[in-house]
């Protein structure tokens, strides 16, 4: 077993282009701070879950993910499986990297300031955060996956997938947004959604739905990961020129003012039908769309210790 103060660090390389360059910079700063840690690098995003399982089995009290929401998603799913075996002071932390760092951004951490993230981890000030639970059907078998930020269905899920795929190859956040910019004008497909939000039934066509425990990549700007509630933004299909208004409001943090957004807040969301829409949890895809319904989303309130930034 390892010392209680020693970190278990997993680096999830965001692209094949830049490899370990950023991690070497972060690692140098951690070494300068005198932190005791052990480090492993994931072969790909899906291997993070296996590596977190390994660190949990070896008794680490602190696991740090150098990566994005997708890597955190893999980590939280491993941790939830091991939760009853973990020490009471176990905590998860993050140094944001790559694209899609909404959960870290909620706590005031950004890719541009890795020093601030490391300093925050060294202080080890934790708070209990909510964990979203998604129960779905996989080829007739009931399964569970967990999330920290959000579930996206439809258009939002496609944009997340395009951005992640492009960034993994290109390595540049700005360049990876080009495929999104090109597609956002032309792709406005709607899908049939049958959903129950607490006791309210919703049955209509939407272009995108975000079911969130946090900021939801700007789609649920009022979401917080410690109130035990789910924030939902259901978006109807706009005219092509209205997309620009939507993206402008998204960037300004005023997305709920968008005329095509229908906001809700609930404790339980049940989905009977998603049409042929893609579904992602924190940018990680669920299985083929025609096998996953029904879906049930709930929140485990203040369930995991997360190392947060207090300013």
């Amino acid at each position: 077993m390892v010392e209680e103060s020693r970190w278990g660090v997993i680096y999830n390389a965001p692209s094949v282009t830049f490899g370990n360059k950023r991690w070497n910079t972060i690692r140098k700063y951690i070494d300068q701070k005198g932190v005791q840690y052990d480090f492993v690098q994931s072969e790909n995003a899906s291997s993070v879950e296996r590596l977190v399982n390994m660190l949990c089995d070896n008794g680490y009290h602190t696991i740090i993910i150098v990566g994005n929401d997708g890597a955190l998603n893999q980590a939280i799913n491993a941790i939830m499986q091991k939760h009853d075996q973990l020490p009471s002071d176990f905590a998860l932390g993050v140094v944001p990297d790559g694209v899609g760092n909404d959960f870290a951004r909620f706590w005031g951490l950004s890719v541009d300031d890795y020093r601030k993230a490391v300093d925050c981890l060294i202080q080890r000030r934790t708070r209990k955060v909510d964990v979203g639970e998604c129960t779905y059907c996989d080829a007739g078998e009931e399964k569970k996956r967990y999330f920290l930020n959000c579930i996206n269905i439809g258009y939002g899920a496609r944009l997340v997938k395009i951005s992640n795929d492009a960034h993994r190859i290109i390595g540049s956040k700005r360049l990876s947004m080009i495929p999104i910019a090109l597609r956002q004008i032309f792709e406005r497909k709607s899908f049939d959604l049958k959903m129950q939000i607490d006791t309210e039934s919703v049955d209509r066509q939407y272009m995108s739905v975000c079911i969130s425990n946090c900021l939801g990549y700007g789609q649920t700007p009022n979401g917080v990961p410690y109130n035990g509630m789910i924030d939902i933004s259901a978006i109807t299909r706009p005219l092509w020129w209205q997309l620009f208004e939507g993206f402008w409001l998204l960037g300004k943090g005023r997305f709920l003012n968008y005329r095509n957004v229908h906001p809700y807040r609930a404790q339980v969301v049940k989905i009977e039908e998603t049409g042929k829409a893609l579904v992602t949890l924190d940018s990680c895809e669920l299985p083929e769309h025609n096998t996953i319904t029904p879906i049930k989303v709930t929140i485990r309130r203040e369930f995991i210790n997360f190392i947060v930034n207090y300013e």
Side-chain angles (χ1 to χ4, degrees):
M1 301 296 283
V2 299
E3 307 98 313
E4 293 183 9
S5 60
R6 180 176 289 269
W7 297 357
V9 180
I10 297 175
Y11 172 60
N12 179 47
S15 75
V16 297
T17 305
F18 290 95
N20 296 334
K21 182 178 179 180
R22 177 172 166 81
W23 163 243
N24 290 333
T25 302
I26 297 170
R27 187 176 187 178
K28 183 178 179 180
Y29 185 70
I30 295 175
D31 289 338
Q32 288 175 355
K33 289 291 185 175
V35 175
Q36 298 299 307
Y37 68 96
D38 295 315
F39 150 70
V40 288
Q41 180 170 335
S42 63
E43 300 88 1
N44 49 58
S46 61
S47 66
V48 171
E49 189 167 344
R50 174 179 59 80
L51 294 174
V52 171
N53 266 311
M54 178 189 73
L55 293 178
C56 289
D57 287 342
N58 281 277
Y60 286 86
H61 288 235
T62 305
I63 293 179
I64 307 301
I65 303 299
V66 182
N68 61 5
D69 285 340
L72 275 176
N73 180 270
Q74 296 289 324
I76 198 64
N77 275 278
I79 290 167
M80 292 300 286
Q81 300 301 324
K82 300 282 186 179
H83 182 264
D84 292 342
Q85 306 167 30
L86 299 177
S88 60
D89 65 340
F90 176 88
L92 175 66
V94 64
V95 178
D97 193 28
V99 296
N101 292 281
D102 228 27
F103 197 74
R105 184 166 67 87
F106 178 86
W107 302 106
L109 303 175
S110 73
V111 173
D112 298 328
D113 193 353
Y114 66 85
R115 290 181 179 87
K116 180 178 180 179
V118 172
D119 292 343
C120 163
L121 295 172
I122 292 171
Q123 293 174 15
R124 207 179 189 276
R125 299 178 68 180
T126 65
R127 78 159 294 160
K128 295 281 188 180
V129 298
D130 295 348
V131 177
E133 179 178 288
C134 176
T135 305
Y136 64 98
C137 180
D138 184 4
E141 181 181 354
E142 184 178 283
K143 292 190 176 180
K144 291 183 188 294
R145 294 292 291 178
Y146 301 92
F147 63 97
L148 288 172
N149 184 29
C150 68
I151 299 174
N152 270 306
I153 306 173
Y155 186 68
R158 294 201 308 275
L159 295 188
V160 169
K161 183 179 187 301
I162 294 165
S163 176
N164 287 343
D165 290 347
H167 186 262
R168 196 173 296 119
I169 297 170
I170 298 171
S172 166
K173 181 177 180 179
R174 292 181 180 177
L175 291 178
S176 69
M177 297 304 289
I178 294 175
I180 295 177
L182 294 174
R183 286 202 179 195
Q184 69 186 27
I185 298 174
F186 304 106
E187 288 197 8
R188 293 174 294 123
K189 298 178 182 177
S190 296
F191 60 92
D192 294 319
L193 181 73
K194 293 182 179 180
M195 177 169 60
Q196 184 173 325
I197 302 172
D198 282 344
T199 59
E200 181 177 352
S201 296
V202 176
D203 186 354
R204 64 177 299 178
Q205 284 198 333
Y206 288 105
M207 185 182 75
S208 185
V209 174
C210 180
I211 302 170
S212 178
N213 179 43
C214 193
L215 299 178
Y217 303 109
Q219 297 168 88
T220 53
N222 295 333
V224 294
Y226 44 76
N227 65 353
M229 301 298 289
I230 305 166
D231 280 45
I232 305 104
S233 287
I235 305 154
T236 54
R237 187 176 186 268
L239 299 173
W240 70 267
W241 55 267
Q242 292 174 332
L243 276 176
F244 296 102
E245 177 193 8
F247 277 90
W248 184 82
L249 290 170
L250 186 70
K252 292 292 184 178
R254 296 163 49 197
F255 192 61
L256 298 184
N257 292 338
Y258 188 36
R259 71 190 75 188
N260 294 87
V261 172
H262 303 268
Y264 303 88
R265 177 168 281 180
Q267 292 181 313
V268 180
V269 176
K270 297 179 181 178
I271 301 171
E272 298 177 16
E273 179 61 51
T274 61
K276 296 183 178 180
L278 179 68
V279 180
T280 61
L281 272 69
D282 296 337
S283 80
C284 298
E285 292 179 54
L286 283 184
E288 291 296 325
H289 55 75
N290 59 352
T291 67
I292 64 172
T293 51
I295 300 171
K296 181 180 179 181
V297 184
T298 55
I299 294 291
R300 295 198 182 189
R301 186 169 186 177
E302 297 184 328
F303 202 74
I304 291 291
N305 288 320
F306 195 83
I307 303 173
V308 299
N309 173 46
Y310 284 107
E311 291 184 327

